[in-house]
Protein backbone atom coordinates (compact mmCIF):
# COMPACT_ATOMS: atom_id res chain seq x y z
CA UNK A 1 0.00 0.00 0.00
CA UNK A 2 1.24 3.51 -0.85
CA UNK A 3 1.19 5.97 2.01
CA UNK A 4 0.37 9.63 1.71
CA UNK A 5 0.48 12.29 4.43
CA UNK A 6 -1.95 15.18 3.98
CA UNK A 7 -1.30 18.02 6.44
CA UNK A 8 -4.16 20.32 7.47
CA UNK A 9 -6.71 17.69 6.43
CA UNK A 10 -9.21 18.76 9.10
CA UNK A 11 -9.43 22.29 7.66
CA UNK A 12 -11.59 23.69 4.88
CA UNK A 13 -9.68 22.73 1.72
CA UNK A 14 -7.75 19.89 3.36
CA UNK A 15 -10.94 18.01 4.28
CA UNK A 16 -12.09 18.05 0.66
CA UNK A 17 -8.67 16.84 -0.50
CA UNK A 18 -8.64 14.05 2.12
CA UNK A 19 -12.16 12.90 1.15
CA UNK A 20 -11.29 12.90 -2.56
CA UNK A 21 -8.10 10.85 -2.04
CA UNK A 22 -9.62 8.39 0.47
CA UNK A 23 -12.53 7.56 -1.83
CA UNK A 24 -10.63 7.63 -5.12
CA UNK A 25 -7.50 5.74 -4.06
CA UNK A 26 -8.58 2.83 -1.83
CA UNK A 27 -5.11 1.24 -2.11
CA UNK A 28 -3.40 4.31 -0.66
CA UNK A 29 -3.30 4.92 3.09
CA UNK A 30 -4.23 8.56 3.64
CA UNK A 31 -2.74 9.93 6.86
CA UNK A 32 -4.38 13.19 7.91
CA UNK A 33 -1.89 15.08 10.07
CA UNK A 34 -3.48 18.09 11.79
CA UNK A 35 -3.07 19.87 15.13
CA UNK A 36 -6.77 20.89 15.22
CA UNK A 37 -6.44 24.64 15.70
CA UNK A 38 -9.64 26.73 15.82
CA UNK A 39 -9.87 26.09 12.03
CA UNK A 40 -9.46 22.30 12.21
CA UNK A 41 -12.61 20.26 12.70
CA UNK A 42 -12.90 16.47 12.48
CA UNK A 43 -16.67 16.91 11.92
CA UNK A 44 -15.65 17.84 8.36
CA UNK A 45 -14.61 14.21 7.79
CA UNK A 46 -17.33 12.31 9.68
CA UNK A 47 -18.52 10.56 6.50
CA UNK A 48 -15.14 8.95 5.72
CA UNK A 49 -13.53 8.46 9.14
CA UNK A 50 -14.37 4.72 9.20
CA UNK A 51 -12.73 4.00 5.82
CA UNK A 52 -9.90 1.45 6.22
CA UNK A 53 -7.45 3.55 4.18
CA UNK A 54 -7.90 6.63 6.41
CA UNK A 55 -5.95 7.51 9.54
CA UNK A 56 -5.95 10.72 11.61
CA UNK A 57 -2.91 11.78 13.65
CA UNK A 58 -3.05 14.85 15.88
CA UNK A 59 0.30 16.58 15.46
CA UNK A 60 1.65 20.10 15.27
CA UNK A 61 3.96 20.73 12.31
CA UNK A 62 6.01 23.13 14.42
CA UNK A 63 7.04 20.13 16.59
CA UNK A 64 10.01 18.85 14.55
CA UNK A 65 10.63 15.76 16.72
CA UNK A 66 7.01 14.58 16.59
CA UNK A 67 6.88 15.11 12.80
CA UNK A 68 10.11 13.18 12.27
CA UNK A 69 8.86 10.32 14.49
CA UNK A 70 5.63 10.08 12.48
CA UNK A 71 7.48 10.14 9.16
CA UNK A 72 9.94 7.47 10.35
CA UNK A 73 7.12 5.26 11.58
CA UNK A 74 4.87 5.49 8.51
CA UNK A 75 7.46 6.10 5.74
CA UNK A 76 5.06 8.02 3.47
CA UNK A 77 5.82 8.14 -0.28
CA UNK A 78 4.10 11.48 -0.70
CA UNK A 79 3.20 14.61 1.23
CA UNK A 80 0.47 17.07 0.33
CA UNK A 81 1.02 20.06 2.59
CA UNK A 82 -1.98 22.27 3.36
CA UNK A 83 -1.61 22.94 7.11
CA UNK A 84 -1.34 26.67 7.64
CA UNK A 85 -2.61 29.70 9.42
CA UNK A 86 -4.78 30.98 6.59
CA UNK A 87 -6.63 34.18 7.53
CA UNK A 88 -5.16 37.57 6.51
CA UNK A 89 -6.93 39.51 9.29
CA UNK A 90 -5.53 37.19 11.97
CA UNK A 91 -2.05 37.58 10.43
CA UNK A 92 -2.31 41.33 10.93
CA UNK A 93 -2.97 40.78 14.65
CA UNK A 94 -0.60 37.84 15.26
CA UNK A 95 2.10 37.67 12.57
CA UNK A 96 4.38 35.36 14.58
CA UNK A 97 1.81 32.55 14.60
CA UNK A 98 2.05 32.66 10.81
CA UNK A 99 5.85 32.54 10.82
CA UNK A 100 5.77 29.54 13.14
CA UNK A 101 3.24 27.38 11.29
CA UNK A 102 3.66 28.52 7.70
CA UNK A 103 7.44 28.94 7.63
CA UNK A 104 8.94 26.87 10.48
CA UNK A 105 6.27 24.15 10.11
CA UNK A 106 6.93 23.85 6.37
CA UNK A 107 10.71 23.60 6.91
CA UNK A 108 10.13 20.86 9.54
CA UNK A 109 8.12 18.87 6.98
CA UNK A 110 10.78 19.40 4.30
CA UNK A 111 13.49 18.19 6.71
CA UNK A 112 11.48 15.13 7.71
CA UNK A 113 10.80 14.21 4.05
CA UNK A 114 14.47 14.72 3.13
CA UNK A 115 15.49 12.50 6.04
CA UNK A 116 13.22 9.52 5.33
CA UNK A 117 13.81 9.71 1.56
CA UNK A 118 17.62 10.00 1.92
CA UNK A 119 18.34 6.68 0.11
CA UNK A 120 16.31 7.54 -2.97
CA UNK A 121 13.91 10.20 -4.16
CA UNK A 122 12.50 7.75 -6.77
CA UNK A 123 8.68 7.69 -6.71
CA UNK A 124 8.49 10.34 -3.97
CA UNK A 125 6.70 13.70 -4.10
CA UNK A 126 6.30 16.74 -1.80
CA UNK A 127 3.33 18.83 -2.96
CA UNK A 128 3.18 22.28 -1.38
CA UNK A 129 -0.21 24.01 -1.52
CA UNK A 130 0.17 27.76 -1.80
CA UNK A 131 -1.84 30.83 -2.69
CA UNK A 132 -2.05 33.52 -5.38
CA UNK A 133 -1.53 36.10 -2.61
CA UNK A 134 2.26 35.57 -2.80
CA UNK A 135 2.23 37.51 -6.09
CA UNK A 136 0.97 40.71 -4.43
CA UNK A 137 -1.77 42.90 -5.88
CA UNK A 138 -2.85 43.67 -9.44
CA UNK A 139 -4.33 46.91 -10.76
CA UNK A 140 -7.46 46.85 -12.93
CA UNK A 141 -5.66 44.82 -15.65
CA UNK A 142 -3.47 41.72 -15.99
CA UNK A 143 -3.19 38.25 -14.42
CA UNK A 144 -0.76 36.31 -12.24
CA UNK A 145 1.17 33.65 -14.19
CA UNK A 146 3.63 31.08 -12.86
CA UNK A 147 6.42 33.54 -13.86
CA UNK A 148 5.03 36.55 -11.96
CA UNK A 149 7.53 37.85 -9.38
CA UNK A 150 6.67 37.40 -5.72
CA UNK A 151 5.53 40.61 -3.99
CA UNK A 152 3.60 39.69 -0.83
CA UNK A 153 2.04 42.46 1.29
CA UNK A 154 0.28 40.91 4.28
CA UNK A 155 2.01 38.90 7.03
CA UNK A 156 -0.05 35.91 5.77
CA UNK A 157 1.14 36.22 2.17
CA UNK A 158 4.71 36.99 3.31
CA UNK A 159 4.75 33.76 5.35
CA UNK A 160 3.33 31.73 2.44
CA UNK A 161 5.85 33.31 0.04
CA UNK A 162 8.64 32.43 2.44
CA UNK A 163 7.43 28.83 2.64
CA UNK A 164 7.30 28.65 -1.19
CA UNK A 165 10.93 29.86 -1.32
CA UNK A 166 11.99 27.18 1.18
CA UNK A 167 10.24 24.48 -0.85
CA UNK A 168 12.09 25.58 -4.01
CA UNK A 169 15.36 25.89 -2.06
CA UNK A 170 15.05 22.25 -0.94
CA UNK A 171 14.62 21.21 -4.58
CA UNK A 172 17.60 23.28 -5.73
CA UNK A 173 19.89 22.41 -2.81
CA UNK A 174 19.04 18.80 -1.97
CA UNK A 175 17.15 17.65 -5.07
CA UNK A 176 13.94 17.10 -3.07
CA UNK A 177 11.15 16.13 -5.54
CA UNK A 178 8.73 19.00 -5.05
CA UNK A 179 5.73 20.37 -6.89
CA UNK A 180 3.57 23.38 -6.07
CA UNK A 181 0.14 24.90 -6.70
CA UNK A 182 -0.82 28.55 -6.20
CA UNK A 183 -4.58 28.88 -6.02
CA UNK A 184 -7.03 31.78 -5.90
CA UNK A 185 -9.76 32.27 -3.23
CA UNK A 186 -11.77 29.11 -2.52
CA UNK A 187 -15.38 28.88 -1.36
CA UNK A 188 -17.70 25.97 -0.60
CA UNK A 189 -18.96 23.63 2.14
CA UNK A 190 -17.03 23.62 5.45
CA UNK A 191 -15.55 27.09 4.87
CA UNK A 192 -14.72 28.64 8.24
CA UNK A 193 -16.98 31.68 8.84
CA UNK A 194 -14.14 34.15 9.38
CA UNK A 195 -13.74 34.43 5.58
CA UNK A 196 -16.00 36.72 3.52
CA UNK A 197 -18.53 34.30 1.99
CA UNK A 198 -19.31 32.00 4.96
CA UNK A 199 -19.21 34.96 7.37
CA UNK A 200 -21.88 36.73 5.31
CA UNK A 201 -23.96 33.53 4.94
CA UNK A 202 -23.90 33.17 8.73
CA UNK A 203 -24.80 36.84 9.26
CA UNK A 204 -27.64 36.79 6.71
CA UNK A 205 -29.16 33.75 8.44
CA UNK A 206 -28.98 35.67 11.73
CA UNK A 207 -30.01 39.08 10.30
CA UNK A 208 -26.69 40.63 11.33
CA UNK A 209 -24.74 43.36 9.45
CA UNK A 210 -22.60 42.24 6.48
CA UNK A 211 -19.24 44.01 7.04
CA UNK A 212 -17.70 45.16 3.74
CA UNK A 213 -14.18 46.55 4.07
CA UNK A 214 -13.52 49.98 2.48
CA UNK A 215 -15.53 50.73 -0.66
CA UNK A 216 -16.15 47.05 -1.54
CA UNK A 217 -14.38 47.42 -4.90
CA UNK A 218 -11.64 44.93 -3.99
CA UNK A 219 -11.62 42.03 -6.44
CA UNK A 220 -10.98 38.32 -5.94
CA UNK A 221 -11.04 35.29 -8.28
CA UNK A 222 -13.24 32.62 -6.66
CA UNK A 223 -12.98 28.85 -7.15
CA UNK A 224 -15.30 26.11 -5.82
CA UNK A 225 -13.27 24.09 -3.29
CA UNK A 226 -13.98 20.71 -4.92
CA UNK A 227 -12.41 22.00 -8.14
CA UNK A 228 -9.31 22.97 -6.16
CA UNK A 229 -9.16 19.43 -4.69
CA UNK A 230 -9.38 18.02 -8.23
CA UNK A 231 -6.56 20.30 -9.37
CA UNK A 232 -4.36 19.13 -6.47
CA UNK A 233 -5.07 15.49 -7.37
CA UNK A 234 -4.11 16.10 -11.01
CA UNK A 235 -0.95 18.05 -10.24
CA UNK A 236 0.17 15.62 -7.52
CA UNK A 237 -0.15 12.65 -9.89
CA UNK A 238 0.61 14.13 -13.32
CA UNK A 239 2.41 17.45 -12.88
CA UNK A 240 6.05 17.99 -13.84
CA UNK A 241 8.48 17.65 -10.96
CA UNK A 242 9.93 20.94 -9.69
CA UNK A 243 7.25 23.07 -11.35
CA UNK A 244 4.39 25.17 -10.07
CA UNK A 245 0.84 25.44 -11.40
CA UNK A 246 -1.54 28.37 -10.96
CA UNK A 247 -5.14 27.38 -10.21
CA UNK A 248 -8.05 29.82 -10.53
CA UNK A 249 -11.73 30.06 -11.29
CA UNK A 250 -11.66 32.42 -14.32
CA UNK A 251 -14.19 34.13 -12.07
CA UNK A 252 -13.51 37.64 -10.80
CA UNK A 253 -15.94 39.45 -8.53
CA UNK A 254 -15.76 42.78 -6.76
CA UNK A 255 -16.65 42.07 -3.11
CA UNK A 256 -19.75 44.27 -3.19
CA UNK A 257 -21.14 42.59 -6.33
CA UNK A 258 -20.44 39.14 -4.91
CA UNK A 259 -22.26 39.95 -1.67
CA UNK A 260 -25.23 41.34 -3.63
CA UNK A 261 -25.42 38.05 -5.59
CA UNK A 262 -25.21 36.15 -2.28
CA UNK A 263 -28.01 38.30 -0.81
CA UNK A 264 -30.19 37.67 -3.88
CA UNK A 265 -29.75 33.88 -3.70
CA UNK A 266 -30.28 33.83 0.08
CA UNK A 267 -33.47 35.91 -0.09
CA UNK A 268 -34.88 33.34 -2.54
CA UNK A 269 -33.78 30.31 -0.49
CA UNK A 270 -34.96 31.79 2.83
CA UNK A 271 -38.24 33.01 1.35
CA UNK A 272 -37.42 36.61 2.29
CA UNK A 273 -38.55 39.70 0.38
CA UNK A 274 -36.22 40.64 -2.54
CA UNK A 275 -33.70 43.16 -1.20
CA UNK A 276 -34.13 42.17 2.47
CA UNK A 277 -30.58 40.81 2.91
CA UNK A 278 -28.94 43.64 0.92
CA UNK A 279 -30.18 46.04 3.59
CA UNK A 280 -27.72 44.34 5.97
CA UNK A 281 -24.69 45.49 3.92
CA UNK A 282 -22.54 47.80 6.06
CA UNK A 283 -19.32 49.44 4.90
CA UNK A 284 -16.70 49.22 7.65
CA UNK A 285 -13.09 50.33 8.23
CA UNK A 286 -10.75 48.95 5.57
CA UNK A 287 -8.20 46.19 6.12
CA UNK A 288 -4.67 47.68 6.40
CA UNK A 289 -2.57 46.99 3.30
CA UNK A 290 -5.66 45.58 1.51
CA UNK A 291 -4.66 44.08 -1.89
CA UNK A 292 -6.82 45.62 -4.63
CA UNK A 293 -7.16 42.69 -7.01
CA UNK A 294 -6.09 39.07 -7.46
CA UNK A 295 -6.59 37.29 -10.79
CA UNK A 296 -5.07 34.00 -11.89
CA UNK A 297 -4.05 32.94 -15.37
CA UNK A 298 -4.77 29.19 -15.09
CA UNK A 299 -3.92 28.39 -18.72
CA UNK A 300 -0.90 26.19 -17.85
CA UNK A 301 -2.85 23.63 -15.78
CA UNK A 302 -5.65 23.74 -18.36
CA UNK A 303 -3.29 23.20 -21.32
CA UNK A 304 -0.96 20.62 -19.76
CA UNK A 305 -3.29 18.66 -17.46
CA UNK A 306 -6.74 19.37 -18.92
CA UNK A 307 -8.06 20.89 -15.67
CA UNK A 308 -10.93 23.36 -15.66
CA UNK A 309 -13.57 24.43 -13.12
CA UNK A 310 -16.62 22.15 -13.18
CA UNK A 311 -19.26 24.60 -11.95
CA UNK A 312 -20.18 28.20 -12.66
CA UNK A 313 -19.96 30.60 -9.73
CA UNK A 314 -23.74 30.91 -9.48
CA UNK A 315 -24.05 27.08 -9.25
CA UNK A 316 -21.16 26.74 -6.79
CA UNK A 317 -22.55 29.53 -4.61
CA UNK A 318 -26.02 27.94 -4.65
CA UNK A 319 -24.55 24.56 -3.57
CA UNK A 320 -22.55 26.34 -0.86
CA UNK A 321 -25.57 28.17 0.56
CA UNK A 322 -27.58 24.92 0.48
CA UNK A 323 -24.81 23.17 2.42
CA UNK A 324 -24.73 25.87 5.11
CA UNK A 325 -28.52 25.93 5.41
CA UNK A 326 -28.59 22.13 5.87
CA UNK A 327 -25.65 22.16 8.29
CA UNK A 328 -26.60 24.90 10.74
CA UNK A 329 -25.48 22.70 13.64
CA UNK A 330 -21.95 22.71 12.16
CA UNK A 331 -22.17 26.49 11.77
CA UNK A 332 -23.46 26.96 15.33
CA UNK A 333 -20.70 24.74 16.74
CA UNK A 334 -17.87 26.62 15.05
CA UNK A 335 -19.32 30.06 15.83
CA UNK A 336 -19.81 29.50 19.54
CA UNK A 337 -17.01 30.00 22.09
CA UNK A 338 -13.75 31.51 20.85
CA UNK A 339 -15.30 32.73 17.57
CA UNK A 340 -17.41 35.23 19.52
CA UNK A 341 -14.28 36.83 21.03
CA UNK A 342 -12.59 36.98 17.63
CA UNK A 343 -15.67 38.56 16.04
CA UNK A 344 -16.01 41.11 18.83
CA UNK A 345 -12.37 42.23 18.46
CA UNK A 346 -12.29 42.22 14.64
CA UNK A 347 -15.59 44.05 14.02
CA UNK A 348 -16.00 46.18 17.18
P1 LIG B 1 -7.92 26.42 7.13
O1 LIG B 1 -7.49 27.54 8.01
O2 LIG B 1 -9.37 26.16 6.92
O3 LIG B 1 -7.30 25.04 7.66
C1 LIG B 1 -5.97 24.93 8.09
C2 LIG B 1 -5.79 23.58 8.74
O4 LIG B 1 -4.41 23.47 9.15
C3 LIG B 1 -6.65 23.37 9.99
O5 LIG B 1 -7.21 22.08 9.99
C4 LIG B 1 -5.67 23.54 11.14
O6 LIG B 1 -6.01 22.78 12.29
C5 LIG B 1 -4.38 23.02 10.49
N1 LIG B 1 -3.19 23.58 11.14
C6 LIG B 1 -2.93 24.89 11.40
N2 LIG B 1 -1.76 25.01 12.05
C7 LIG B 1 -1.25 23.76 12.18
C8 LIG B 1 -0.06 23.24 12.75
N3 LIG B 1 0.83 24.04 13.33
N4 LIG B 1 0.15 21.91 12.69
C9 LIG B 1 -0.76 21.08 12.10
N5 LIG B 1 -1.90 21.53 11.57
C10 LIG B 1 -2.16 22.85 11.60
O7 LIG B 1 -7.17 26.68 5.76
P2 LIG B 1 -7.65 26.44 4.26
O8 LIG B 1 -8.42 27.61 3.81
O9 LIG B 1 -8.24 25.09 4.15
O10 LIG B 1 -6.25 26.47 3.50
C11 LIG B 1 -5.48 25.29 3.35
C12 LIG B 1 -4.21 25.63 2.58
O11 LIG B 1 -4.54 26.15 1.30
C13 LIG B 1 -3.34 26.70 3.26
O12 LIG B 1 -2.00 26.31 3.08
C14 LIG B 1 -3.66 27.97 2.50
O13 LIG B 1 -2.57 28.85 2.52
C15 LIG B 1 -3.92 27.42 1.11
N6 LIG B 1 -4.84 28.22 0.28
C16 LIG B 1 -6.06 28.62 0.79
C17 LIG B 1 -6.93 29.33 -0.03
C18 LIG B 1 -8.30 29.74 0.46
O14 LIG B 1 -9.02 30.44 -0.24
N7 LIG B 1 -8.74 29.30 1.64
C19 LIG B 1 -6.55 29.66 -1.34
C20 LIG B 1 -5.30 29.23 -1.81
C21 LIG B 1 -4.45 28.52 -0.99
P1 LIG C 1 -11.13 36.82 2.75
O1 LIG C 1 -12.30 35.90 2.61
O2 LIG C 1 -10.60 37.13 4.11
O3 LIG C 1 -9.98 36.27 1.80
P2 LIG C 1 -8.57 36.98 1.35
O4 LIG C 1 -8.31 38.13 2.21
O5 LIG C 1 -7.59 35.88 1.56
O6 LIG C 1 -8.77 37.35 -0.09
O7 LIG C 1 -11.52 38.20 2.08
C1 LIG C 1 -11.99 38.27 0.74
C2 LIG C 1 -12.22 39.72 0.41
O8 LIG C 1 -13.31 40.20 1.21
C3 LIG C 1 -11.05 40.61 0.72
O9 LIG C 1 -10.99 41.67 -0.25
C4 LIG C 1 -11.38 41.19 2.08
C5 LIG C 1 -12.89 41.30 2.03
N1 LIG C 1 -13.59 41.15 3.33
C6 LIG C 1 -14.57 42.09 3.70
O10 LIG C 1 -14.87 43.05 2.96
N2 LIG C 1 -15.20 41.92 4.90
C7 LIG C 1 -14.91 40.88 5.75
O11 LIG C 1 -15.51 40.81 6.85
C8 LIG C 1 -13.92 39.92 5.35
C9 LIG C 1 -13.55 38.78 6.24
C10 LIG C 1 -13.29 40.09 4.13
Amino acid sequence: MNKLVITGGAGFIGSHVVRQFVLKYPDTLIINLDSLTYAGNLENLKDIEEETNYKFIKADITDSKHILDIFEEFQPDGIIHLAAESHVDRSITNPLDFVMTNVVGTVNLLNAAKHIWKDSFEGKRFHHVSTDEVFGALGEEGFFTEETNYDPHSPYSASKASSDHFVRAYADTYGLPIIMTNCSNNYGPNHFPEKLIPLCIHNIINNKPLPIYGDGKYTRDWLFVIDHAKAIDLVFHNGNQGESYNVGGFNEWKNIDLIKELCKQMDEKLGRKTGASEKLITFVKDRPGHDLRYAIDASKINRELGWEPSVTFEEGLSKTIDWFLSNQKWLNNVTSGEYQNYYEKQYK
Side-chain angles (χ1 to χ4, degrees), residues 320-339:
T320 304
I321 299 168
D322 289 345
W323 185 86
F324 277 96
L325 291 178
S326 322
N327 288 276
Q328 292 197 42
K329 200 164 145 242
W330 182 96
L331 198 50
N332 291 339
N333 284 346
V334 301
T335 53
S336 59
E338 185 43 44
Y339 181 84

Side-chain angles (χ1 to χ4, degrees), residues 23-35:
L23 298 179
K24 193 166 164 198
Y25 304 106
D27 295 334
T28 302
L29 176 65
I30 307 299
I31 302 163
N32 172 13
L33 193 159
D34 198 298
S35 66

Side-chain angles (χ1 to χ4, degrees), residues 87 133 185 194-196 211 213 220 255 287 290 347:
H87 190 39
E133 304 193 24
N185 286 59
E194 64 188 349
K195 309 276 168 57
L196 180 67
Y213 295 158
R220 299 291 182 262
N255 294 338
R287 171 187 280 175
H290 200 163
Y347 297 100

Side-chain angles (χ1 to χ4, degrees), residues 235-338:
V235 170
F236 179 75
H237 286 104
N238 304 327
N240 290 325
Q241 185 162 307
E243 296 190 12
S244 70
Y245 294 80
N246 281 1
V247 186
F250 305 98
N251 176 46
E252 287 184 50
W253 287 78
K254 286 192 173 32
N255 294 338
I256 185 67
D257 297 334
L258 184 156
I259 293 308
K260 284 184 179 168
E261 171 65 25
L262 177 71
C263 288
K264 191 178 104 210
Q265 288 204 20
M266 290 217 43
D267 281 347
E268 282 165 19
K269 289 178 195 285
L270 292 168
R272 291 185 185 165
K273 266 208 326 243
T274 308
S277 299
E278 257 195 56
K279 291 210 181 91
L280 299 169
I281 291 176
T282 311
F283 292 94
V284 299
K285 195 166 139 253
D286 210 349
R287 171 187 280 175
H290 200 163
D291 285 336
L292 178 65
R293 175 172 165 260
Y294 303 142
I296 278 274
D297 174 350
S299 55
K300 177 179 174 184
I301 186 171
N302 175 258
R303 193 175 57 247
E304 295 187 9
L305 302 176
W307 175 89
E308 58 184 8
S310 68
V311 291
T312 64
F313 183 65
E314 287 77 2
E315 286 163 355
L317 191 62
S318 171
K319 282 175 196 255
T320 304
I321 299 168
D322 289 345
W323 185 86
F324 277 96
L325 291 178
S326 322
N327 288 276
Q328 292 197 42
K329 200 164 145 242
W330 182 96
L331 198 50
N332 291 339
N333 284 346
V334 301
T335 53
S336 59
E338 185 43 44

Side-chain angles (χ1 to χ4, degrees), residues 150-280:
Y150 277 33
D151 185 20
H153 298 141
S154 73
Y156 164 65
S157 54
S159 68
K160 290 296 288 187
S162 173
S163 68
D164 291 12
H165 289 316
F166 271 103
V167 170
R168 289 202 175 91
Y170 271 60
D172 293 344
T173 310
Y174 310 110
L176 200 79
I178 64 102
I179 200 151
M180 221 152 84
T181 39
N182 293 81
C183 189
S184 64
N185 286 59
N186 285 216
Y187 69 97
N190 308 96
H191 205 179
F192 193 81
E194 64 188 349
K195 309 276 168 57
L196 180 67
I197 291 179
L199 184 143
C200 288
I201 292 175
H202 180 232
N203 286 11
I204 290 172
I205 293 172
N206 293 292
N207 268 310
K208 282 175 61 181
L210 309 178
I212 306 296
Y213 295 158
D215 62 5
K217 302 275 171 60
Y218 296 92
T219 303
R220 299 291 182 262
D221 169 3
W222 294 92
L223 177 68
F224 192 52
V225 64
I226 290 170
D227 285 325
H228 187 192
K230 286 181 184 160
I232 289 173
D233 183 4
L234 265 181
V235 170
F236 179 75
H237 286 104
N238 304 327
N240 290 325
Q241 185 162 307
E243 296 190 12
S244 70
Y245 294 80
N246 281 1
V247 186
F250 305 98
N251 176 46
E252 287 184 50
W253 287 78
K254 286 192 173 32
N255 294 338
I256 185 67
D257 297 334
L258 184 156
I259 293 308
K260 284 184 179 168
E261 171 65 25
L262 177 71
C263 288
K264 191 178 104 210
Q265 288 204 20
M266 290 217 43
D267 281 347
E268 282 165 19
K269 289 178 195 285
L270 292 168
R272 291 185 185 165
K273 266 208 326 243
T274 308
S277 299
E278 257 195 56
K279 291 210 181 91
L280 299 169

Side-chain angles (χ1 to χ4, degrees), residues 7-15 33-41 59-63 67 81-87 100-102 105 128-133 156 160 181-187 190-192 194-195 222 228:
T7 71
F12 165 46
I13 302 170
S15 61
L33 193 159
D34 198 298
S35 66
L36 302 181
T37 66
Y38 76 92
N41 186 349
D60 186 333
I61 60 169
T62 66
D63 182 345
I67 295 303
H81 175 35
L82 295 109
E85 289 292 340
S86 67
H87 190 39
M100 288 312 294
T101 290
N102 300 358
H128 179 59
V129 177
S130 192
T131 164
D132 60 356
E133 304 193 24
Y156 164 65
K160 290 296 288 187
T181 39
N182 293 81
C183 189
S184 64
N185 286 59
N186 285 216
Y187 69 97
N190 308 96
H191 205 179
F192 193 81
E194 64 188 349
K195 309 276 168 57
W222 294 92
H228 187 192

